[in-house]
Amino acid sequence: MKVFLIGFMGCGKSTVGRILADRLGFDFIDTDMLIEQRWGMKIEEMVATKGEMFFRHIETELLEEIISQPYDTGGIIVACGGGMPCSENNLLMMLYGGTTIYLKSSERVLYDRLKNERGNRFLIKNMTDDELKTYIAETLTKRHNSYYSQAYMIITNDETVDNCVEKILNKTLFARLFA
Ligand code: S3P
């Protein structure tokens, strides 16, 4: 079983994903971290030296690799980079290749989390507070309407991480019972 966690930067995919994997005894992948490990550089550096298109292509290649791998004996939770479902056919691959869960956080919560964590995110690194607010509002609406909202399951994550993990576990168990 493959579970793809998608959603905007700062919605908690990595933190929630890691705990969820632990609780279920699944493997865990953070696509940003795996790309950085394999290429031996930060994403920010990759984008600065090779361009955003290159990074997006690497993301797609990684997704194809994950989807083509059999996970018959257990499962894997994949915390996807915020832009991964928004390029090429990535969202379709996720929808057909596993269970896609959108962690939905409000603009206010995203802003509160991201305003102190801009450093390693090339898209927002140099933004002022006001620019960040506007960027979140505009980009979240676009990504929500065109991509994120098509996920198999939507879980709101404006509260604690534990709360979010419980909601996912309850909802997936419920869905499995009545499948
Ligand atoms: C991006 C989100 C980041 C990272 C890159 C681009 C995006 O991942 O992949 O900076 O396009 O939203 P997180 O969502 O894990 O921060």
Side-chain angles (χ1 to χ4, degrees), residues 72-95:
D72 299 337
T73 51
I76 185 165
I77 308 283
V78 186
C80 302
M84 190 186 248
C86 315
S87 58
E88 305 198 34
N89 286 325
N90 293 358
L91 181 64
L92 268 183
M93 277 199 272
M94 289 174 190
L95 294 177

Side-chain angles (χ1 to χ4, degrees), residues 1-7 13 17 20 24 26 63 66-67 71 74-80 85 90-103 148 150-155 167-169 171-176 179:
M1 179 183 193
K2 287 169 193 152
V3 178
F4 298 103
L5 296 183
I6 64 169
K13 292 161 295 194
L20 203 55
L24 294 166
F26 283 12
L63 179 63
I66 294 167
I67 285 179
Y71 271 95
I76 185 165
I77 308 283
V78 186
C80 302
N90 293 358
L91 181 64
L92 268 183
M93 277 199 272
M94 289 174 190
L95 294 177
Y96 284 104
T99 302
T100 305
I101 301 178
Y102 168 30
L103 297 193
Y148 298 155
Q150 294 178 52
Y152 171 71
M153 193 175 280
I154 299 178
I155 303 282
K167 274 198 273 188
I168 294 175
L169 288 172
K171 227 174 161 180
T172 44
L173 182 65
F174 194 76
R176 229 177 295 144

Side-chain angles (χ1 to χ4, degrees), residues 126-145:
N126 297 315
M127 286 182 182
T128 62
D129 288 355
D130 281 347
E131 283 168 345
L132 179 63
K133 241 180 225 165
T134 310
Y135 178 81
I136 293 172
E138 290 176 358
T139 316
L140 181 63
T141 304
K142 273 190 226 145
R143 286 184 174 183
H144 174 90
N145 293 344

Side-chain angles (χ1 to χ4, degrees), residues 7-10 13-14 32 43 55-56 59 80-83 120-123 143:
F8 207 79
M9 292 176 266
K13 292 161 295 194
S14 307
D32 288 338
I43 287 165
F55 166 61
R56 297 300 178 193
E59 276 192 310
C80 302
N120 190 34
R121 291 175 164 108
F122 72 91
L123 290 168
R143 286 184 174 183

Side-chain angles (χ1 to χ4, degrees), residues 5 11-21 28 30 79 103 161 165:
L5 296 183
C11 73
K13 292 161 295 194
S14 307
T15 319
V16 167
R18 208 168 266 121
I19 298 173
L20 203 55
F28 174 73
D30 178 312
L103 297 193
V161 170
V165 170

